């Protein structure tokens, strides 16, 4: 997506424009550790984190959206990097998370909301989407159902209630 980085190697910095990588680019832990987000990100309008790799790969490229495959919980280095991104990004940037519609997906959303993007909103994590794909849902174990009952994520409350009602995610 439309992200510019300054990557340090020793005392030298190289600027990299990730918008040139329209099919995506991987930033490994060392790159994330040594990279700084460039202050001006005028083209960036949305950030979308995506838990599921298949969904991430299927996203249609939009030059105003930064798509981030989150692979579950972000590592501490990734959290630091994304917090840095949010400090430099304009306030009007909209943040979304598209996660699995299950206990883990709700907890990952909660983690991202708490540690990285406080204003994040769910994307395709609603009852309507659940019902559309319900035939693919899997039974949730009793132990996980008990954990799910205790979760309190207001933006995903309706989805949580649907999961508890059906016993599937």
């Amino acid at each position: 997506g439309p992200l510019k980085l300054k990557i340090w190697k020793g005392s030298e910095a190289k600027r990299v424009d990730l918008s040139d990588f329209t099919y995506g680019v991987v930033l490994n832990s060392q790159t994330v550790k040594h990279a700084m987000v460039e202050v001006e990100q005028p083209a960036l309008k949305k950030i979308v984190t995506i838990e599921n790799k298949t969904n991430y790969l299927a996203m249609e490229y939009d030059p105003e959206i930064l798509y981030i495959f989150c692979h579950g919980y972000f590592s501490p280095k990734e959290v630091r990097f994304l917090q840095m991104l949010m400090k430099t990004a304009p306030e009007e940037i909209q943040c979304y998370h598209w996660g699995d519609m299950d206990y883990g997906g709700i907890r990952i959303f909660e983690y991202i909301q708490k540690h990285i993007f406080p204003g994040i909103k769910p994307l395709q994590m609603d009852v309507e989407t659940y019902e559309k794909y319900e035939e693919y849902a899997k039974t949730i174990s009793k132990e996980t159902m008990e954990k799910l009952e205790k979760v309190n994520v207001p933006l995903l409350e309706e989805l949580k209630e649907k999961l508890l009602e059906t016993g599937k995610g």
Side-chain angles (χ1 to χ4, degrees):
L3 188 65
K4 294 182 176 125
L5 301 177
K6 189 187 302 182
I7 301 175
W8 294 91
K9 184 177 180 184
S11 62
E12 290 186 38
K14 178 162 180 120
R15 287 182 165 72
V16 179
D17 185 348
L18 298 183
S19 65
D20 292 335
F21 297 90
T22 56
Y23 303 108
V25 64
V26 175
L27 301 180
N28 66 24
S29 63
Q30 288 301 306
T31 301
V32 169
K33 179 179 177 181
H34 296 285
M36 292 186 65
V37 177
E38 288 283 271
V39 175
E40 293 182 36
Q41 303 293 339
L44 184 59
K45 304 289 186 235
K46 288 183 188 175
I47 296 172
V48 178
T49 59
I50 305 167
E51 177 185 350
N52 183 290
K53 189 173 183 180
T54 301
N55 293 340
Y56 170 78
L57 293 172
M59 293 299 290
E60 191 169 319
Y61 180 75
D62 183 325
E64 295 183 337
I65 300 176
L66 175 62
Y67 300 102
I68 302 171
F69 172 54
C70 70
H71 61 76
Y73 291 95
F74 288 110
S75 73
K77 287 177 187 174
E78 292 166 331
V79 169
R80 182 195 62 78
F81 178 81
L82 293 171
Q83 288 170 338
M84 179 176 40
L85 168 62
M86 288 313 294
K87 285 179 184 171
T88 65
E91 288 183 24
E92 63 271 7
I93 287 181
Q94 301 167 345
C95 300
Y96 298 90
H97 176 71
W98 184 9
D100 294 344
M101 291 183 280
D102 59 14
Y103 171 73
I106 292 173
R107 291 303 308 265
I108 290 167
F109 178 91
E110 178 184 39
Y111 180 85
I112 294 170
Q113 184 181 48
K114 193 176 288 183
H115 297 283
I116 305 168
F117 305 126
I120 199 163
K121 297 175 185 152
L123 179 67
Q124 297 189 58
M125 294 180 74
D126 53 60
V127 172
E128 183 180 331
T129 304
Y130 176 89
E131 289 174 345
K132 185 176 177 181
Y133 297 101
E134 190 171 2
E135 67 183 283
Y136 303 104
K138 305 281 188 223
T139 301
I140 301 172
S141 72
K142 182 182 177 203
E143 297 81 23
T144 303
M145 289 287 281
E146 290 170 0
K147 291 180 195 175
L148 182 60
E149 286 175 354
K150 297 173 186 170
V151 171
N152 182 19
V153 181
L155 290 174
L156 295 173
E157 186 62 26
E158 288 180 18
L159 174 62
K160 175 185 123 175
E161 291 303 320
K162 186 67 172 182
L163 298 176
L164 291 170
E165 173 191 319
T166 63
K168 293 183 176 186

